[in-house]
């Protein structure tokens, strides 16, 4: 999916990427963007210092990757997310 056509969704994607408990897979499901595309979007849309701070926070964070999470049931899911 071409991320340049998502101008109305960019704010929501950035918000989801910043959330600790929202995995990249949820962004992929809702917006069709891969983790690498989300990283590129964040790099493009954020100040360099903010991007570096975000990358440091999410790199290796278990909650940002479903396969690394120790749980997948019983967590809150927004009504705005697909599959709710």
């Amino acid at each position: 999916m071409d991320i340049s056509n998502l101008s109305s969704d960019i704010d929501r994607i950035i918000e989801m990427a910043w959330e600790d408990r929202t995995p990249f897979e949820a962004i992929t499901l809702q917006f069709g963007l891969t983790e690498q595309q989300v990283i590129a979007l964040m790099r493009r849309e954020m100040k360099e210092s903010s991007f570096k701070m975000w990358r440091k926070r999410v790199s290796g964070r278990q909650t940002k990757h479903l396969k690394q999470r120790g749980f997948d049931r019983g967590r809150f899911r927004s009504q705005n997310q697909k599959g709710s």
Side-chain angles (χ1 to χ4, degrees):
M1 175 176 260
D2 182 15
I3 61 176
S4 63
N5 292 332
L6 296 175
S7 60
S8 63
D9 296 327
I10 288 175
D11 287 343
R12 181 64 185 133
I13 294 167
I14 291 172
E15 181 181 345
M16 289 175 75
W18 268 103
E19 293 170 348
D20 289 340
R21 296 201 179 272
T22 302
F24 287 111
E25 291 86 351
I27 298 171
T28 300
L29 178 66
Q30 191 164 350
F31 297 99
L33 297 177
T34 65
E35 180 178 348
Q36 291 304 314
Q37 289 172 315
V38 172
I39 292 169
L41 181 139
M42 297 292 276
R43 185 185 307 270
R44 186 184 78 218
E45 296 294 323
M46 300 173 74
K47 292 188 288 184
E48 184 178 353
S49 60
S50 296
F51 173 76
K52 286 180 179 180
M53 181 173 53
W54 174 76
R55 283 299 292 154
K56 186 176 180 179
R57 281 186 62 231
V58 300
S59 294
R61 183 176 288 272
Q62 290 182 350
T63 56
K64 292 305 279 186
H65 299 88
L66 284 178
K67 290 181 182 177
Q68 295 178 6
R69 291 172 82 158
F71 57 85
D72 66 348
R73 295 196 181 277
R75 291 292 184 189
F76 175 76
R77 175 179 244 174
S78 169
Q79 293 297 325
N80 295 330
Q81 286 182 273
K82 288 185 179 178
S84 293

